[in-house]
Amino acid sequence: MEKLYSFAGEPIPWYDSSPVCGFCLALMALVFLFGAWGVKVGWEMQEFHRDVWVPGVLMVLAASVMLSLVVRLVQRRASRKGSVL
């Protein structure tokens, strides 16, 4: 299908908009801190040493989502600076 307007870009769905990505980034930062707190508590108490992997995995997963969101937002900002509007 041919585009009607040459200046119109591809629409971004609401769940991939910058405010939603920022909200998810803040939420993942809280999850990361929660996991770090769990690792700290787990290492302080001898009976929880074997369970430290659970908050550690939570931290790794939160960090990977945060990295993905930051890359997405940086790419979006770079593409906007390159466009003429």
Side-chain angles (χ1 to χ4, degrees), residues 24-40:
C24 288
L25 192 62
L27 187 65
M28 287 299 110
L30 289 175
V31 170
F32 184 86
L33 291 175
F34 181 72
W37 187 31
V39 168
K40 179 182 176 288

Side-chain angles (χ1 to χ4, degrees), residues 3 13 16 18 29 34-35 43 48 55 61 67 69 80:
K3 288 173 80 174
D16 194 28
S18 294
F34 181 72
W43 281 118
F48 294 133
L61 292 174
L67 180 65
L69 288 169
R80 284 185 185 164

Side-chain angles (χ1 to χ4, degrees), residues 16-18 21-22 25 65-82:
D16 194 28
S17 64
S18 294
C21 285
L25 192 62
V65 171
M66 287 171 37
L67 180 65
S68 170
L69 288 169
V70 167
V71 167
R72 180 178 295 170
L73 288 172
V74 167
Q75 286 176 346
R76 187 175 299 151
R77 181 163 295 199
S79 70
R80 284 185 185 164
K81 289 199 183 251

